[in-house]
Amino acid sequence: GEGFWIVYHGSLVPARVPTTLIDALTLLPPQVGLRLSGYETLGHTGYAAELRARAEACGVGHRLDLRLNVPSRDELFERVRRSDVGLALMPLTPGDLNERHMTGASNKAFEYLSAGVPLLVSDLADWRTMFEAPGLARACRPDDAASIAAAVHALLEDRDAVWQMGERGRQRALRSEEHTSELQSQ
């Protein structure tokens, strides 16, 4: 009843939150919204305003819930738990060494999965292998609004599959935590 929310938290930069996400909203049913929580970096001051302006210009401003500097981690993760799919996008052609080796290094994907929220990841071989192949994510091209919309639409059409993906991710996160606790107690 609350719609279908795509969530992201972290740095609001074009590499992680491309404007094609706003364009994808225009291709999706009106119940789909984009929930962003984060901060601007020195190199991308004003990017939040750019995203808002683009959403307004495209007629989907009311479907963008963008909050800068969420006051607490509890509130941040409550926003994640109230969402349907989490964004963990990387550029298809990484701009730096760090971006080339983020699969598994980014906490974001695992935070979403531990909350039972499946992922929307970039259509990169290592991300597909780690997240899409085991049924935890759907891949898309972050530089292509139609690709993003198609991936979200597929999830939207099968809410049961979305729940199953999220539950698989949550169970994996629990097993990982148990394994970590065992290692720490040795």
Side-chain angles (χ1 to χ4, degrees), residues 20 23-29 120 140 144-155:
T20 49
D23 300 336
L25 280 181
T26 69
L27 304 172
L28 289 161
L120 186 62
C140 69
D144 180 357
S147 174
I148 296 167
V152 173
H153 200 275
L155 294 168

Side-chain angles (χ1 to χ4, degrees), residues 5-172:
W5 287 93
I6 303 163
V7 68
Y8 171 85
H9 67 79
S11 59
L12 297 174
V13 297
R16 306 289 190 282
V17 186
T19 56
T20 49
L21 287 165
I22 303 298
D23 300 336
L25 280 181
T26 69
L27 304 172
L28 289 161
Q31 73 261 36
V32 178
L34 181 58
R35 184 176 280 146
L36 305 175
S37 304
Y39 55 93
E40 294 180 325
T41 64
L42 288 176
H44 297 285
T45 303
Y47 191 59
E50 182 181 330
L51 290 168
R52 282 187 180 115
R54 188 175 190 116
E56 288 299 327
C58 290
V60 294
H62 62 288
R63 294 164 56 188
L64 175 63
D65 176 6
L66 193 158
R67 301 212 186 140
L68 293 173
N69 305 317
V70 175
S72 72
R73 274 186 81 69
D74 287 342
E75 184 179 337
L76 180 71
F77 288 113
E78 179 58 30
R79 288 171 60 79
V80 170
R81 285 188 293 275
R82 290 190 347 254
S83 300
D84 299 283
V85 64
L87 288 176
L89 300 177
M90 295 300 298
L92 296 177
T93 51
D96 62 45
L97 185 63
N98 184 44
E99 287 179 343
R100 280 183 230 151
H101 301 287
M102 285 296 287
T103 316
S106 171
N107 288 342
K108 188 177 319 322
F110 301 104
E111 290 169 349
Y112 297 149
L113 291 173
S114 69
V117 176
L119 307 173
L120 186 62
V121 298
S122 295
D123 191 7
L124 294 165
D126 50 345
W127 286 81
R128 286 191 317 267
T129 299
M130 183 171 229
F131 298 109
E132 189 176 44
L136 308 173
R138 178 72 71 161
C140 69
R141 292 185 54 88
D143 60 348
D144 180 357
S147 174
I148 296 167
V152 173
H153 200 275
L155 294 168
L156 182 61
E157 289 296 307
D158 193 352
R159 295 280 188 112
D160 191 48
V162 171
W163 183 86
Q164 289 173 11
M165 291 168 74
E167 184 58 18
R168 259 192 303 281
R170 194 178 73 75
Q171 291 300 323
R172 264 196 187 191

